[in-house]
């Protein structure tokens, strides 16, 4: 086990307005202390992110050295309201700031079967697709099933799937997942 020295009165952990400063191994500025989750200045303040960071911190603690680092995959988020709202990846403003060339796929979907069958009138999507590569840069959804669809977008983004690869998939129909091919 690595010797990180003993804790002393002079050992302190640094913090910012967003939380305790941590390395990508989830180690604080005090080498004997790890931190993860909402108390840190790292990733989004979401329960699954806290668990992800905690696994990295725990593995490093048990290994006695920083063998693992946090490399955040695309992180989906949902607001459990009526209508449901979900997002993953970059916003249109963030894509523009990065100077990327992209296409915006936007549509209101109140007349789609998935919305009609549950009487949802205020539904839609915006999906940002990089020109040339076809990579999904961001997906923003509103309506029933968004909380599940966004997970599929996150998985596709993490796997590097292109819009054309998603379009080529065959989904069970009529399911909320089957709408994804029409969104890209």
């Amino acid at each position: 086990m690595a010797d990180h020295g003993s804790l002393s009165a002079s050992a302190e952990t640094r913090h910012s307005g967003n939380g305790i400063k941590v390395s990508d191994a989830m180690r604080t500025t005090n080498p004997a202390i790890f931190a993860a989750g909402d108390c840190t200045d790292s990733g989004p303040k979401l329960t699954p992110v806290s668990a992800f960071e905690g696994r990295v911190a725990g593995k490093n603690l048990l290994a006695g050295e920083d063998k693992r680092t946090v490399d955040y995959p695309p992180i989906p988020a949902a607001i459990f309201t009526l209508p449901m709202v979900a997002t993953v990846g970059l916003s249109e403003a963030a894509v523009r700031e990065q100077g990327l060339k992209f296409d915006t796929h936007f549509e209101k979907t109140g007349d789609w079967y998935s919305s009609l069958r549950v009487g949802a009138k205020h539904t839609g999507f915006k999906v940002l697709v990089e020109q040339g590569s076809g990579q999904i840069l961001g997906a923003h959804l509103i309506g029933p099933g968004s909380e599940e669809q966004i997970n599929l977008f996150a998985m596709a983004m993490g796997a590097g799937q292109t819009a054309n690869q998603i379009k080529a998939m065959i989904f069970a129909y009529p399911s909320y997942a089957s709408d994804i091919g029409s969104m890209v």
Side-chain angles (χ1 to χ4, degrees):
M1 188 175 243
D3 180 16
H4 297 291
S6 61
L7 290 176
S8 68
S10 64
E12 65 180 78
T13 300
R14 305 270 184 237
H15 61 86
S16 70
N18 294 324
I20 299 168
K21 292 186 179 288
V22 292
S23 70
D24 60 357
M26 304 313 297
R27 190 179 295 276
T28 70
T29 55
N30 180 332
I33 299 175
F34 288 88
D38 293 357
C39 69
T40 68
D41 70 349
S42 59
K45 308 300 185 209
L46 299 168
T47 301
V49 175
S50 295
F52 177 73
E53 291 174 349
R55 283 190 298 277
V56 170
K59 288 178 189 261
N60 289 335
L61 178 66
L62 293 172
E65 59 182 306
D66 296 346
K67 287 188 164 200
R68 306 271 172 115
T69 58
V70 172
D71 183 16
Y72 297 102
I75 300 170
I79 302 171
F80 294 88
T81 56
L82 290 174
M84 186 78 62
V85 179
T87 186
V88 66
L90 300 172
S91 68
E92 204 165 341
V95 173
R96 288 189 203 294
E97 280 179 25
Q98 291 187 20
L100 299 172
K101 292 184 179 183
F102 67 100
D103 294 317
T104 301
H105 300 244
F106 168 80
E107 190 171 341
K108 293 180 179 180
T109 57
D111 61 348
W112 287 20
Y113 181 71
S114 55
S115 295
L116 290 172
R117 71 182 173 144
V118 296
K121 296 180 188 331
H122 305 290
T123 65
F125 66 88
K126 181 187 285 187
V127 178
L128 310 174
V129 179
E130 186 175 32
Q131 292 177 0
S133 73
Q135 294 296 304
I136 308 298
L137 301 172
H140 314 283
L141 316 173
I142 184 169
S146 296
E147 78 282 8
E148 298 299 339
Q149 291 168 323
I150 208 66
N151 289 320
L152 296 173
F153 272 109
M155 195 163 40
M157 290 167 68
Q161 285 191 308
T162 65
N164 285 337
Q165 288 172 318
I166 294 169
K167 284 180 193 176
M169 294 187 69
I170 299 173
F171 292 96
Y173 180 84
S175 67
Y176 293 121
S178 67
D179 290 343
I180 291 174
S182 298
M183 294 179 184
V184 296

